[in-house]
Amino acid sequence: MSGDADARWQGMRVIARGANRVCVLDPDLPGHCLKYELRPQPGMRRYWRRRVRYALSRRFPRFGLNATELLAWRRLHARMGDDLLGRVAPCIGIVQTGAGTALRARLAADASGRPAPSIASLLGRGPGGFDPTALVLALDGFEAWLLANRIPLSDLNAGNLVVVERDGGLGLVCVDLKSTVSGRELVPLSRWAWPLMRAKIQRTCPRPRELIPPASGVRTPPEPPGPTYSTLSHNN
């Protein structure tokens, strides 16, 4: 997802917008955000697949992207409890609003209470907008946390990870958990076999890392050796 501080959708401030969903500040509940699913537009990648899924979710909401993310949050929270706090933005539930059905989630905020920027947003600010060293260390820490807790998060892209201040440095918060329960694999072997998921995480974590310009004294770790498996989807 990408964001624009001045963008509006249905009169609400946009935090981020991707191909499939738009995330806005919740006008009724401070400290929260709302995610709305968007109708697929002709010409977009995998248009027919997205159109079928969107139509199916209108009739059977459990097939929608918001329902999938809520399911992912509930499953992971049932296993890990409050250990997720500070690493994952909590999902509250599906709500009905004047703009339609939305997923309400806790806002990942900076120290002033404003929406925390994603890695993609920071990179868009250009050199000087962030500390490359601290950001690389934050990615290293997040990858280690995923591996230590065996969390099958495979959609590791720069738009799904937001940056917050933590312990005098930077930390990352995931704002999209859908890939822990849903992906593009026809047979989701990597979600069933931890060695395959570990290899996928170790292969994909370097992708946002590679977008960060090098800083003096910081070397981007090389991609680990090993077999490759199915590619990831960009899940917005």
Side-chain angles (χ1 to χ4, degrees), residues 137-193:
L137 291 175
L139 275 164
D140 290 344
F142 191 78
E143 178 182 358
W145 178 75
L146 291 177
L147 295 172
N149 291 281
R150 295 196 169 198
I151 297 175
L153 181 68
S154 59
D155 191 11
L156 291 161
N157 68 68
N160 288 344
L161 298 172
V162 302
V163 184
V164 296
E165 294 184 2
R166 181 182 296 148
D167 301 327
L170 298 180
L172 297 180
V173 177
C174 176
V175 295
D176 191 338
L177 283 174
K178 294 193 303 298
S179 65
T180 62
V181 298
S182 177
R184 293 177 60 190
E185 296 171 313
L186 184 61
V187 180
L189 294 176
S190 63
R191 292 205 304 275
W192 300 338

Side-chain angles (χ1 to χ4, degrees), residues 73 76-87 145:
W73 161 258
L76 200 56
H77 187 260
R79 174 161 74 88
M80 296 188 61
D82 289 345
D83 288 344
L84 289 177
L85 299 181
R87 299 285 190 175
W145 178 75

Side-chain angles (χ1 to χ4, degrees), residues 83-108:
D83 288 344
L84 289 177
L85 299 181
R87 299 285 190 175
V88 175
C91 294
I92 308 303
I94 303 294
V95 296
Q96 299 298 323
T97 76
T101 304
L103 172 64
R104 175 173 279 151
R106 194 85 48 80
L107 180 67

Side-chain angles (χ1 to χ4, degrees), residues 44-137:
M44 66 192 311
R45 293 180 57 206
R46 300 189 299 275
Y47 168 68
W48 287 106
R49 176 181 173 181
R50 286 170 166 164
R51 180 175 175 178
V52 169
R53 178 166 187 168
Y54 181 84
L56 191 62
S57 69
R58 299 307 92 184
R59 185 176 179 85
F60 304 103
R62 68 180 181 276
F63 291 110
L65 299 176
N66 284 341
T68 299
E69 185 175 356
L70 181 59
L71 173 65
W73 161 258
R74 287 174 172 171
R75 285 185 179 178
L76 200 56
H77 187 260
R79 174 161 74 88
M80 296 188 61
D82 289 345
D83 288 344
L84 289 177
L85 299 181
R87 299 285 190 175
V88 175
C91 294
I92 308 303
I94 303 294
V95 296
Q96 299 298 323
T97 76
T101 304
L103 172 64
R104 175 173 279 151
R106 194 85 48 80
L107 180 67
D110 63 17
S112 65
R114 296 174 298 185
S118 67
I119 293 178
S121 297
L122 285 183
L123 294 175
R125 297 176 184 177
F130 61 94
D131 180 350
T133 304
L135 193 51
V136 168
L137 291 175

Side-chain angles (χ1 to χ4, degrees), residues 11-22:
M12 296 174 283
R13 179 189 165 189
V14 173
I15 300 172
R17 181 169 184 147
N20 300 311
R21 295 191 293 175
V22 60

